[in-house]
């Protein structure tokens, strides 16, 4: 078994959709980024790539490449899963935390789990997502941005 961790943060801005865990959440602001800026999926991708010692998402999906502008992070997550399979690895489980003062994430967590489990082709029971606030402290607490962290475990398949 191999383990990796990931972290991501994006600024909240007017004029963007809020996409977290592959789910569009109704909110007056969205996350700023080259792709859809899905902090949760970005953290999960980095955790998986780290577990496989394959670098990070910037290495595989650079923001300097126009083809990734506005792309769905769920699509990129599926691509990471394909890369892991090519390397002889399978995903065991994901445990992730979203840090956001607003909006409330609880109503969306099951849909996020399903979206992520489908992209990774794993059982939904292998994807855990939690959410927390920072009690008004820091950039997430003030509503300037949202962050996420994740840990993932993978196994190497012996062929």
């Amino acid at each position: 078994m191999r383990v990796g961790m990931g972290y991501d943060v994006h600024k909240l801005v007017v004029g963007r959709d809020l996409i977290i865990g592959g789910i569009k959440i109704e909110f007056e602001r969205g996350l700023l980024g080259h792709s859809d800026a899905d902090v949760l999926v970005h953290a999960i991708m980095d955790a998986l790539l780290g577990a496989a010692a394959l670098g990070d998402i910037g290495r595989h999906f650079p923001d300097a490449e126009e083809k990734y502008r506005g792309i769905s992070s769920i699509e990129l997550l599926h691509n990471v899963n394909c890369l892991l399979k090519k390397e002889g690895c399978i995903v065991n489980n994901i445990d992730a935390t979203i840090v956001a003062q607003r909006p409330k994430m609880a109503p969306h967590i099951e849909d996020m789990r399903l979206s992520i489990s489908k992209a990774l082709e794993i059982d939904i029971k292998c994807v855990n997502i939690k959410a927390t606030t920072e009690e008004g402290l820091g950039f997430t607490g003030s509503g300037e941005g949202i962050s996420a962290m994740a840990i993932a475990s993978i196994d190497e398949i012996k062929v």
Side-chain angles (χ1 to χ4, degrees):
M1 178 175 63
R2 298 172 72 172
V3 177
M5 60 144 317
Y7 174 79
D8 195 36
V9 60
H10 285 276
K11 181 179 180 178
L12 281 164
V13 295
V14 174
R16 295 268 304 197
D17 288 335
L18 180 59
I19 310 291
I20 300 180
I23 304 302
K24 182 178 175 182
I25 299 171
E26 291 302 319
F27 193 57
E28 66 265 11
R29 294 177 291 156
L31 295 169
L32 181 62
H34 187 70
S35 66
D36 63 7
D38 187 329
V39 291
L40 176 60
V41 173
H42 291 184
I44 290 169
M45 287 191 293
D46 270 347
L48 290 167
L49 290 167
L54 294 173
D56 61 19
I57 61 175
R59 175 177 162 194
H60 295 276
F61 314 108
D63 63 7
E65 289 193 30
E66 197 59 30
K67 68 182 177 180
Y68 298 123
R69 181 176 301 283
I71 195 167
S72 164
S73 295
I74 284 292
E75 183 180 333
L76 297 178
L77 180 61
H78 177 74
N79 292 344
V80 166
N81 192 45
C82 292
L83 180 61
L84 291 173
K85 286 180 178 181
K86 284 181 189 173
E87 293 291 317
C89 299
I90 59 168
V91 178
N92 287 329
N93 76 302
I94 306 291
D95 186 29
T97 303
I98 305 162
V99 183
Q101 198 66 35
R102 293 182 46 238
K104 291 294 183 192
M105 296 293 148
H108 310 286
I109 285 179
E110 289 309 307
D111 290 337
M112 292 176 192
R113 290 178 66 218
L114 182 60
S115 176
I116 291 163
S117 69
K118 283 182 178 179
L120 293 174
E121 301 171 308
I122 59 176
D123 193 299
I124 193 170
K125 293 177 186 174
C126 298
V127 178
N128 188 56
I129 300 170
K130 306 172 295 289
T132 190
T133 69
E134 289 191 313
E135 304 296 330
L137 301 172
F139 71 90
T140 58
S142 69
E144 294 175 64
I146 294 176
S147 67
M149 57 198 93
I151 188 165
S153 70
I154 62 173
D155 271 328
E156 294 179 78
I157 304 167
K158 306 295 182 210
V159 257

